[in-house]
Amino acid sequence: MSKLFSPVRIGRLQIDHRVVLAPLTRMRAEEGAVPGPLMAEYYSQRSSRGGLVITEATIAIDGGNGYLGAPGLYDDSQIDGWKAIVDAAHKKGATIFVQLYHAGRQSHRDLQPGGGAPVGPSEIAHGGVAYTEKGWVPNTPNRALRTEEVEDLVSGFKLAADRALAAGFDGVELHAANGYLFDQFLQDGSNKRTDRYGGSQQNRFRFLNETIEAVSSVFGYDRVAVRLAPSGSFGDMSDTNSRELFEYVVSELAKLDLAYLHLIEPRVLGNDADLSRSQEPVATRSLRKLYPGIIIAAGGFTGLSAEEIIASGDADLVAFGRHFVSNPDLPERLRNGWPLNDYDRESFFGGTAAGYTDYTFFLQSKAS
Ligand SMILES: Cc1cc2nc3c(=O)[nH]c(=O)nc-3n(C[C@H](O)[C@H](O)[C@H](O)COP(=O)(O)O)c2cc1C
């Protein structure tokens, strides 16, 4: 009996299979970070009866972007485009969460309102690239947020959640992975603050914790989720005690009865396997004992390894990234053991329908 195709409850939501569309930045939004019909087609293609869809990282607050072409929910003008996407997903019988994000220091002044410096917990030199009108360019130095600005960001996330609710989303996933703003606050390589948002693990968790509370005031805790990349180094991240930090964060999240906890396995960071890690990897297996709720695992899974991790009890669902890029009917392919299309990296970020909505469905390719 396949566990991958057995039902599971997420809070008040019923999910019929466990092949989840991972959040995937594809940078095909229209002017003003507005989602258009091309995005609606893409999400419709990847929505299946009883499935769970998580949107790409969506800019929660103006200035919180690192990639031109990413969609937003920081302005009311962006709600209708999302409504069309949510309706398309629901029509296919899927549940859809929006991933809200703030890039923090992983940005460029050309992406900032007024051309100012990107913001982060502390002013620390770091690498990484942003995508602007000039293409991929090195991030520009960030400035440190003032305490009251952090409080404003929490309120900004609540407003984005209000818009997500208006668009009809079933829930919100906060992107606290991959070196973006929440992750920058969590890990001490990027957070040297001396106010109540820096220092102890409790203080570094505070920004995320307050945002969870604010967003839950809109959706309810059982429709709010968090994505973490425990010990991830993407975005120049580091922590002097990664294991203890993420064990603390996961234990705190376990108290909140969230929709789910989404964990990226350390064997894959962002897009590429990273086998030369300097930090001790903290994987789903070790965190499961601290988190009795629903866990979604992601990172380098195949149908077989997804079955295995669910059967072991270490995760309840598995999110697929790159395979879902090139296989819009991934759940059906895995269910039937059909072969998978290869993905084309060149068209991952930005562009047209090519490499976005033109991947074939198995039955369609067989018929032609
Ligand atoms: C093109 C691309 C875009 C991505 N964008 C996001 C994103 O917006 N938010 C996020 O949390 N992770 C993002 N990721 C990471 C994926 O969600 C996933 O964790 C990663 O691809 C590993 O899973 P996979 O081996 O199944 O591809 C992205 C990955 C890729 C390849």
Side-chain angles (χ1 to χ4, degrees):
M1 267 300 283
S2 165
K3 292 264 185 197
L4 204 50
F5 293 95
S6 63
V8 60
R9 268 198 94 74
I10 293 185
R12 72 189 88 159
L13 304 165
Q14 178 69 27
I15 306 296
D16 293 336
H17 70 77
R18 301 162 185 234
V19 180
V20 178
L21 174 63
L24 291 165
T25 291
R26 304 304 307 278
M27 292 152 56
R28 270 127 167 133
E30 297 182 350
E31 190 70 31
V34 170
L38 183 64
M39 282 177 59
E41 189 187 346
Y42 167 84
Y43 281 106
S44 173
Q45 289 179 340
R46 284 157 185 76
S47 299
S48 61
R49 180 146 307 282
L52 175 63
V53 167
I54 306 169
T55 74
E56 63 212 271
T58 298
I59 314 154
I61 294 157
D62 199 12
N65 192 23
Y67 309 108
L68 186 68
L73 262 176
Y74 58 84
D75 192 90
D76 289 352
S77 61
Q78 294 150 345
I79 296 174
D80 282 351
W82 283 117
K83 244 184 212 158
I85 291 169
V86 170
D87 288 349
H90 285 166
K91 214 166 144 194
K92 291 280 189 76
T95 293
I96 180 164
F97 273 51
V98 62
Q99 187 187 58
L100 290 181
Y101 110 114
H102 191 300
R105 71 181 192 177
Q106 281 207 62
S107 184
H108 189 282
R109 70 172 97 79
D110 288 355
L111 296 167
Q112 298 299 316
V119 296
S122 307
E123 253 177 67
I124 295 170
H126 62 279
V129 288
Y131 192 84
T132 71
E133 276 174 1
K134 299 188 185 89
W136 292 104
V137 290
N139 290 325
T140 50
N142 71 281
R143 67 174 179 84
L145 286 156
R146 297 188 302 277
T147 304
E148 62 277 15
E149 287 181 301
V150 184
E151 293 160 2
D152 289 346
L153 289 178
V154 173
S155 313
F157 269 91
K158 185 198 168 288
L159 292 176
D162 286 334
R163 295 186 193 100
L165 192 70
F169 278 108
D170 299 301
V172 168
E173 175 179 295
L174 294 175
H175 191 356
N178 298 350
Y180 299 111
L181 191 59
F182 290 119
D183 206 10
Q184 290 160 28
F185 270 85
L186 290 177
Q187 302 205 44
D188 65 12
S190 44
N191 185 346
K192 307 287 182 197
R193 299 178 72 88
T194 52
D195 65 359
R196 66 182 190 279
Y197 294 105
S200 66
Q201 291 171 346
Q202 189 186 7
N203 279 358
R204 285 183 273 138
F205 175 58
R206 192 181 308 281
F207 171 45
L208 175 59
N209 198 22
E210 289 180 357
T211 307
I212 294 169
E213 194 182 332
V215 170
S216 298
S217 72
V218 178
F219 272 87
Y221 281 92
D222 69 341
R223 293 202 293 162
V224 172
V226 171
R227 190 173 216 215
L228 296 175
S231 61
S233 59
F234 181 81
D236 274 359
M237 300 306 292
S238 65
D239 192 87
T240 47
N241 201 339
S242 184
R243 174 171 292 275
E244 231 187 58
L245 170 67
F246 284 98
E247 287 182 353
Y248 167 76
V249 170
V250 167
S251 309
E252 288 302 303
L253 295 176
K255 297 176 187 166
L256 300 178
D257 282 331
L258 298 174
Y260 60 83
L261 171 63
H262 194 170
L263 295 172
I264 306 178
E265 289 288 326
R267 65 173 173 265
V268 172
L269 294 158
N271 310 337
D272 297 303
D274 178 354
L275 302 173
S276 57
R277 304 181 44 73
S278 55
Q279 296 185 73
E280 187 183 8
V282 184
T284 305
R285 189 180 310 134
S286 62
L287 293 170
R288 166 51 108 187
K289 61 182 186 302
L290 304 170
Y291 196 86
I294 297 288
I295 290 182
I296 302 181
F301 282 94
T302 61
L304 190 63
S305 58
E307 283 286 1
E308 282 169 2
I309 197 168
I310 296 172
S312 74
D314 289 339
D316 302 285
L317 301 95
V318 172
F320 293 84
R322 291 162 294 182
H323 287 318
F324 233 134
V325 164
S326 52
N327 296 279
D329 53 349
L330 185 66
E332 278 311 292
R333 287 180 189 251
L334 296 182
R335 193 199 298 264
N336 293 296
W338 293 336
L340 303 185
N341 295 326
D342 291 336
Y343 48 81
D344 167 41
R345 280 178 190 279
E346 297 304 307
S347 48
F348 274 175
F349 302 111
T352 60
Y356 188 53
T357 51
D358 62 354
Y359 284 108
T360 51
F361 288 67
F362 180 73
L363 290 177
Q364 169 200 341
S365 61
K366 252 187 87 194
S368 58

